[in-house]
Amino acid sequence: MDIHLLDLPLLTVNDQWQVLDCNQAAGSLLSLTGKTDIRRNFFDYCQLTDTDEQNRTFLSQTPGSSAQALLACGTRLNLTISGNLTAETCLVLNSVKHPHQSYLNELAELALQCGNIGVWQVSADFEQPYFSRTFCELLHCHTLSSWQDFIDLIYEDDKPLALSFIEEHIQSNVRLKFEFRVMLDSVPHWFELSGDQRRNNDTQLSLFGILRECTQEKQMLIHLNNAHESRRIALEAGKVGTWRVNRQNTHWHWDWDPQTSAIFDLAAQDTGSYEKWLERIHPEDRKRVSNGLKEALETGKDFEHVFRAVLPNKEELHIFAKGVVTDDGYGNHCRLDGVCVDQSEVYRAYSKLSQLNAELETRVKSRTSDLKCAVTKAEQASRAKSDFLAMISHELRTPMNAIIGSLELLSLQKHNPEEMELLETASVSAKNLVDILNDILDINKIEAGKLELEFREFDISKTLHNVLLTFASNAEKRRVSLKVIESEQLPTMLYCDENRIRQVLFNLLSNAIKFSGPPAKASGNVVIEVDWQVQSHSQGELSILVKDNGIGIDEKTQKKLFHPFTQADKSTTRVYGGTGLGLAISRKIVDLMGGRIGLKSKLDRGSIFRVCIPLHRFSHHTAPSLFQHVYVIPAHSAQAQPHLLSVLNTLTDDLHLTELDELASPSVSGTLVCCCVHSEQDLARLNEYKEILAEHKVLICHQTGVAEKLRTILPDAAPLNIGLATRYGITRQVMHLLTHTTEKSASLNNTEENPSGESQTKTEEVQANISGLRPGILLVEDNTFNQNLMVKQLAKLGYTCTLAENGEQGYESWQRDEYKLILTDCHMPVVDGYEMAKRIRQTEKQLARKAIPIVAVTGAAVKNELENCHLYGINDCIGKPVQLERFKSVIEKWYGK
Amino acid sequence: MASDHSQLARLNAQTLVDLIGEDMDTIARFQRDFVTQAESSCKLFLAAYSNAAYAELKEHAHFLKTSARAIGAERCSEYLAELEDAALSGDRQDCRSVLINIAQEIKALNALINHGE
């Protein structure tokens, strides 16, 4: 190191204490005049003042050792040997002008070490730099050999500024102070370099100073700045101003930030002027706010007010202010700190929102009112439409019925084929129109919720039978084969609305037939399956399937098919007619019953409609056994239908499968023969065995097309179309056979069929005796219906009778046979009842016969007839129809008298 | 004329039960017989009406009326009574009007009795 660059008085000596060199400060202190003084012994200029013992260390030139010396001029010097400054022994001379100087130097050095402060010095041309050990340690360097080494350590971004600071300092002698970063272990550390400049004696300019790390301070400062900036931005953005009041002695001193001034549009010089601030407050709010502040300062309660401020430009602000009081630790309220927030925008938005809400509420009310009005109008319109439709339908039905009646009457007259066709067309059209009107009435009723189901017990098999009968001829005409499959599990009685179930069946079957036969297809098949699913002991489900192989329905139409007035397409309506109400009505009915209706269909392949109806009341009745034996003769090479066998089995004690040639004459009464006919071959065999069959009660199960031939072969047999055979249908035909045979014996009494005299009476008596009925009543009645009725009534009362069709026949019969009572109608052709009675009474008189009791059975009012009857010798008069009890009492009164 | 008898039963099944007891098969047979008879009577009504033979018309009406009452065809029997009155008074217009009602009623009875409609 060049000791001449330093201000510190320094000189170098050899081990002989010869002065080798000295800088300007040392030369000045020792009063050395020039080079001549060099090489002189150092002690020529001064004398050590300490003891030898004390000076020994010093004299051995031990680095760091020191000694006190006295100059010739009397100045005391403190000598210190420095081992670091030069290669030679370097003496630091320190004039002991002040007694504490040495102590201060020592203290400064300690302070630099404690403060971890590095020292540096460099010439103005950045040569011969000096960096203290601490300096190097701070920068994590072992040594720094040049000024540039130090500059290179400065963070790249900070380097230009650092250089400019140093340059500026050299040029303008502005005190040097700047901060810069150095990357230490990849972490930026902040350092502060400060310094100054001085000129040495030789006027050489040098720079010196210190270096200290300020990373922590810098980071704190950065954080503080960030926090401050954030706060500033937040306050500005939120239009929040801060204010405070401090008590100074007895006065309150006000202050606020620029934001508050900005909010209230106060000049900077008015900051802290409470009066100026108060002027800005709306006159109506001023007192309240002022009192609020006073109260807060006096009581220590928080201040919180919303008030209006009026700016010089008359703009009105809405301010929210809040302040918190703090005390000085002795319970004295010493300051109030608060914020004020400009909420004008919020207030304006709120006002607008309130206004908008009010408008919306008004609009909603208005719309709701409009909507209610529209709904009411729509309901009224719908009601009016329904009422109108109902009224029109009803009003149309009355004349339509008259038209149908008239056409019916007309059709009874003789017409040529063309006229008959026209009449039939008119009749069918009129009936269709009535059906449509009925549908419209129904759908109206359903949509108005007025349709109520009428639950009662009914036989579903009977309903099915009747529906099939209705459609049978129509299906045949349309070349559609109709077939029923009835489940054997079907209960005898169901509890539901029979009429509505029938209506659903009608709709489904009529559609199936309509879309299966011509013109859609040359011929078709329609099958109706009725099934029963038991779900629990008290619940079951009736399932009705109607399958056809007709035109089918496309998927799009299927979705809307159950909506009113929907048909497959317009062409469907054109070709097949109809209103499209049937399925809609059916669905509504099934819905009302809690059931469901659905369909599967493929275009040109056909459709399957399924209806399922849950039922909670049903019963299975066992039919009474009607026959001891039932013989079933299956068709040739075919098996008897299981359902038929199942039903017949319920009607007999013994069911036999047999052949015609095994059939014997009935040895016992109470047998039934059931013949199945499928082919011409079967018919031929029937013909072959017709005489044996004639002795039996015969049920013939046939297929369509052979009914006429069967009637010719076995006129008394009961025919049954097996394709349409339901439990009810089979039982009904069997019952018919039973009743028909019973009536056969009664009809033997008929005078027309058995007109011969005595033998008839004998037969009658025999039969009466056999049957246990009492004979002797002559019934004169022209109306076959009434004849049959009264015969039945008399039989029920234990009597049998002889029939006469008019007064003439009656009179003859009376003359011919013995009777105990005559029952006669009054109004009859040929000879009426009055005339007959008159003749009988006359003859009785002439022949002196006992007067027979004659009772008139009249269709006219008895009251009017009785007097007339007495005039003709009629004993009594009863009105038609005669109640059984009345009949009994009258007969008991007159029989045999 | 053409009174409204809609309050009367088209077919009161109890009537025949009262007359002959609960013999349902016989009752059904009587009902079917009535329809057959009524359809024949209608032809006779029409012939008499066409010939303006009102006395004959009255007799035919009376004839059927007793049967109608017997099976409980209440509405029909009332129409027939009306026809009797109309025929008795020789009122062609009334006869025509009642005849239409009767034809329609018999058709409905046929549907009800024979087809379960």
Side-chain angles (χ1 to χ4, degrees), chain B residues 25 37 78 92 106:
Chain B
D25 292 325
Q37 187 185 45
E78 280 308 306
R92 190 168 180 78
I106 289 169

Side-chain angles (χ1 to χ4, degrees), chain A residues 824-828 831-834 856-858 865 869 874 877 880:
Chain A
T824 182
D825 184 16
C826 293
H827 301 275
M828 287 180 290
V831 172
D832 65 18
Y834 304 117
V857 186
T858 177
E865 288 283 338
C869 285
I874 296 172
C877 181
K880 289 181 194 168

Side-chain angles (χ1 to χ4, degrees), chain A residues 719-744:
Chain A
L720 179 73
N721 183 342
I722 197 67
L724 304 180
T726 57
R727 174 179 44 74
Y728 175 81
I730 298 165
T731 313
R732 187 173 176 274
Q733 286 303 79
V734 170
M735 290 299 288
H736 175 74
L737 275 174
L738 274 177
T739 52
H740 178 71
T741 316
T742 309
E743 293 305 320
K744 258 206 281 187

Side-chain angles (χ1 to χ4, degrees), chain A residues 401 409 735 783 786 796 882, chain B residues 19-20 25 37 66-67 104:
Chain A
N401 285 334
L409 273 178
M735 290 299 288
N783 187 332
N786 286 331
K796 199 157 184 71
V882 193
Chain B
L19 294 179
I20 62 168
D25 292 325
Q37 187 185 45
T66 55
S67 305
Q104 194 188 328

